[in-house]
Amino acid sequence: MVAVGIVGNGPVDLLPDLYLYKDKIDIWIGADRGAYTLAEHDIPVEYAVGDFDSINAREKAFIKQHTKYMEQYPSEKDETDIEIALKKSFELNPGHIHLFGVTGGRLDHELINIQLLYQIRNKGINGYIVDKSNCLEMAFPGKYTVSQDVTYPYISFVPYTKVVEGLHLSGFYYPLTNTTISWGSTLCISNKLLSKSGTFSFEKGILLLVKSCDTI
């Protein structure tokens, strides 16, 4: 399955090491200044999209030299640059979409970017928001396996819908059986796996799975 990586113009100091994803991502898309970030890291940019209002003429020329396709949009538009990049990624029929540079900075952008995971998951695509301290996924009802990740050792389950019902956690330090959690509940914050993997399942609602680490 094709894996797409989208880089936005969030704070660069919050980005993970993009080089660790060079072998995992098949196609890179830069949204606005995110295209410049990719070019600076010498990562081939397939598409550069957005209004490019956060770069100067020199940086724009640098992007053009390092991308195959550059599509500029007007500053006054109905979509954010990240959503434009996401729609471009859907045209590629990916199995996985990684979003980088979409957290930090303006809170309104960060919150709506998290909601974009619903668009991704609703199309049957695995979506991830990744920064230096977190890896975020969205899950619909079902059973899932979680593998241990030394980079993000803490695992939290946050209800995206008002209520999540029938939650089971197995192989975790704090297991659960047929539990209901709702908005504002901290019951499922900061858990850990007991071994290399564990499972979770639930029957109703939508969950956000957050793998994280302490900020250094």
Side-chain angles (χ1 to χ4, degrees):
M1 291 189 292
V2 173
V4 173
I6 297 173
V7 179
N9 62 345
V12 176
D13 60 331
L14 295 183
L15 288 173
D17 186 351
L18 294 178
Y19 293 113
L20 298 177
Y21 293 86
K22 289 184 71 172
D23 293 333
K24 299 178 182 179
I25 303 297
D26 301 298
I27 299 173
W28 289 94
I29 300 175
D32 196 74
R33 191 174 183 81
Y36 182 74
T37 299
L38 283 169
E40 273 196 316
H41 283 76
D42 198 28
I43 296 175
V45 187
E46 189 77 13
Y47 298 96
V49 300
D51 53 31
F52 300 105
D53 60 356
S54 63
I55 61 173
N56 57 39
R58 179 190 63 79
E59 293 167 336
K60 188 175 181 180
F62 186 72
I63 291 173
K64 287 182 177 180
Q65 293 174 357
H66 290 81
T67 186
K68 289 186 178 180
Y69 307 99
M70 187 170 183
E71 301 174 6
Q72 184 162 0
Y73 294 76
S75 296
E76 295 184 4
K77 55 190 185 304
D78 295 329
E79 302 162 312
T80 65
D81 293 328
I82 287 296
E83 188 171 13
I84 290 172
L86 187 59
K87 288 186 174 181
K88 174 62 67 175
S89 72
F90 290 154
E91 297 174 7
L92 305 172
N93 297 314
H96 305 273
I97 297 176
H98 291 74
L99 302 176
F100 307 93
V102 299
T103 56
R106 286 179 53 175
L107 187 57
D108 54 344
H109 282 266
E110 182 169 353
L111 288 172
I112 200 64
N113 289 338
I114 292 173
Q115 289 189 4
L116 289 177
L117 286 175
Y118 180 81
Q119 280 194 39
I120 298 171
R121 195 68 191 89
N122 204 38
K123 290 181 177 291
I125 303 169
N126 297 311
Y128 316 88
I129 289 178
V130 187
D131 63 26
K132 185 178 289 187
S133 301
N134 309 279
C135 180
L136 176 64
E137 304 173 44
M138 182 174 286
F140 290 172
K143 185 174 182 179
Y144 302 85
T145 298
V146 184
S147 298
Q148 194 173 61
D149 188 337
V150 294
T151 305
Y152 306 106
Y154 303 111
I155 301 175
S156 298
F157 299 91
V158 179
Y160 182 76
T161 49
K162 188 173 183 178
V163 174
V164 171
E165 299 178 0
L167 178 61
H168 297 259
L169 303 181
S170 178
F172 287 82
Y173 188 83
Y174 301 106
L176 288 177
T177 302
N178 196 25
T179 301
T180 296
I181 58 174
S182 59
W183 287 343
S185 171
T186 61
L187 177 65
C188 295
I189 299 300
S190 200
N191 210 332
K192 277 190 172 185
L193 289 170
L194 292 174
S195 58
K196 292 183 177 180
S197 66
T199 62
F200 73 94
S201 64
F202 61 105
E203 299 172 0
K204 184 178 179 181
I206 301 176
L207 267 180
L208 290 173
L209 169 64
V210 185
K211 298 178 182 179
S212 57
C213 65
D214 291 320
T215 302
I216 299 174

